[in-house]
Amino acid sequence: MSRRPSLRWVAAGVLLLALVLAGVVSYYASSSPDGLESVSSEQGFADSATTSSTSDSPLAGYGVSGVGDARLSGGLAGVAGVVVVLVLAGGLTWAVRRRPRPESAEDASATREPAGSR
Amino acid sequence: MHVPDGFLDAPTSVATGVVAATAVGIALGRARRELDDRTAPMAGLVAAFVFAVQMLNFPVAAGTSGHLLGGALAAVLVGPWTAVLCLSTVFIVQALLFADGGITALGTNITLMGLVTVLVGYLVFLAARAVLPKRLASVPLAAGLGALVSVPVAALGFVGLYAVGGTTDVDLGLVASAMLGVHTLIGIGEAVITFLAVGSLVAVRPDLVHGARPFLQRRELTILGPDDGLDGSGTLDEQGTGAEPSTSQEASA
């Protein structure tokens, strides 16, 4: 049985992959309308779409406003999105996770807030 | 399949907003059982990965593209309740920062792409896993099947909402068949990506794949038990060593 990569290495690998996909590979993604956009055009309800109230966001449309180069603009927006999603989703899931039960007196006292020693 | 503002009327958008908010509220409580010190970091990474892959539209037919939704993928990797939290985060960030999907349509997008895909994807995954041979190699396959089914069902979910609260008079039968057709093709792409992603993680660290656990614990208890201690991966929940936390806390205070 070969050794398994540690959680840290797996996490670093997934993060690197996400950053490369969003920051570099996304430039080569298809810019054709997606399934719903395409069907709404065919079936005549595309015009009912209204502009999003966040369309003046500096990252609207997966580009950084003010950055002219499309590759750089899209790449930076993708990297920013990955980081923001990681922080928000990671923070949320970290906050609601199960806490491990203290396993010994040392662990219990080491991880406790110093509230009891006032 | 991000729904823009204006496609659905206000009552329908409010209703899907209530559904989405309720589901996220329930998920906040239930996800706790799926998340511990090892799986919580993976959950954040899975959300970031889904965001990244959603940027990668692939061509599916003449002049039409699609991208991963990620419901089945996230549910198999980190558990269905955690997946709801991960995907909701992705859609909120997309709507607020990237103007992708409407603001009034946020509840609709979370409901269709964050709840329907997770529910359908995970149920199909569970059914397929129960039928397929009981080994790890079945997990990515079952995940792919869940992904395949989840996308056209979510597309039909949109048609259902449009039947109730669409703002334009259309031929619903034509919309349904068009949506089903193109999203079946997108579902094939979804299945391939999900199979590859789940397969990769199952190959390196199956203990980090929520949907692979039933196949692991039996094996790890009998064969791999000693390795767990050596590599420190702590696959199984450690039982308490017998120390009494309450008394030791009082003693230290």
Side-chain angles (χ1 to χ4, degrees):
Chain A
M1 187 74 194
S2 59
R3 279 179 64 97
R4 289 174 178 172
S6 70
L7 175 59
R8 191 166 299 189
W9 278 106
V10 173
V14 174
L15 178 60
L16 185 66
L17 181 60
L19 289 172
V20 168
L21 292 177
V24 180
V25 181
S26 61
Y27 181 74
Y28 302 96
S30 169
S31 53
S32 297
D34 74 11
L36 178 58
E37 287 172 316
S38 173
V39 170
S40 65
S41 298
E42 276 171 33
Q43 302 298 326
F45 62 98
D47 291 344
S48 63
T50 55
T51 307
S52 169
S53 49
T54 57
S55 59
D56 54 354
S57 151
L59 293 172
Y62 297 92
V64 180
S65 61
V67 178
D69 182 64
R71 188 187 291 268
L72 184 63
S73 177
L76 288 175
V79 167
V82 166
V83 171
V84 170
V85 169
L86 176 66
V87 168
L88 291 180
L92 180 67
T93 50
W94 185 256
V96 302
R97 80 192 191 283
R98 284 196 315 267
R99 305 299 200 276
R101 283 192 297 172
E103 284 167 18
S104 66
E106 293 93 272
D107 285 352
S109 59
T111 55
R112 276 179 67 82
E113 299 288 320
S117 58
R118 60 206 132 121
Chain B
M1 209 202 303
H2 289 63
V3 179
D5 288 331
F7 273 15
L8 298 172
D9 62 19
T12 309
S13 299
V14 169
T16 56
V18 170
V19 169
T22 306
V24 169
I26 296 171
L28 278 171
R30 300 283 177 88
R32 184 178 164 79
R33 292 178 54 194
E34 299 166 351
L35 292 165
D36 57 30
D37 283 0
R38 281 182 322 124
T39 54
M42 285 307 295
L45 287 163
V46 166
F49 181 76
V50 167
F51 173 86
V53 180
Q54 286 203 357
M55 288 181 73
L56 307 180
N57 283 61
F58 48 84
V60 288
T64 305
S65 72
H67 62 67
L68 178 90
L69 299 182
L73 173 65
V76 171
L77 290 183
V78 294
W81 295 107
T82 306
V84 168
L85 299 182
C86 290
L87 291 179
S88 298
T89 306
V90 169
F91 298 127
I92 290 168
V93 169
Q94 285 172 336
L96 294 183
L97 293 186
F98 296 92
D100 188 12
I103 298 295
T104 61
L106 186 53
T108 301
N109 283 321
I110 289 178
T111 300
L112 290 177
M113 295 188 290
L115 301 180
V116 173
T117 59
V118 166
L119 183 70
V120 173
Y122 196 66
L123 288 179
V124 171
F125 166 76
L126 289 180
R129 192 182 67 182
V131 173
L132 288 166
K134 302 277 175 284
R135 53 195 159 118
L136 276 177
S138 300
V139 173
L141 201 58
L145 287 171
L148 179 70
V149 179
S150 69
V151 180
V153 172
L156 285 182
F158 170 78
V159 178
L161 290 177
Y162 207 84
V164 176
T167 52
T168 305
D169 200 17
V170 296
D171 185 330
L172 281 171
L174 288 177
V175 171
S177 61
M179 283 295 282
L180 198 57
V182 67
H183 287 95
T184 300
L185 296 175
I186 296 173
I188 294 172
E190 175 107 8
V192 170
I193 296 169
T194 302
F195 174 83
L196 292 175
V198 173
S200 302
L201 198 53
V202 162
V204 293
R205 281 292 296 267
D207 58 304
L208 293 177
V209 177
H210 183 271
R213 284 184 189 168
F215 300 156
L216 273 183
Q217 294 196 340
R218 199 178 58 228
R219 276 177 43 187
E220 303 239 351
L221 275 171
T222 52
I223 302 168
L224 299 178
D227 283 348
D228 285 340
L230 289 175
D231 71 2
S233 63
T235 308
L236 301 173
D237 282 339
E238 306 241 343
Q239 295 303 310
T241 55
E244 289 272 308
S246 55
T247 50
S248 62
Q249 281 161 14
E250 280 160 19
S252 66

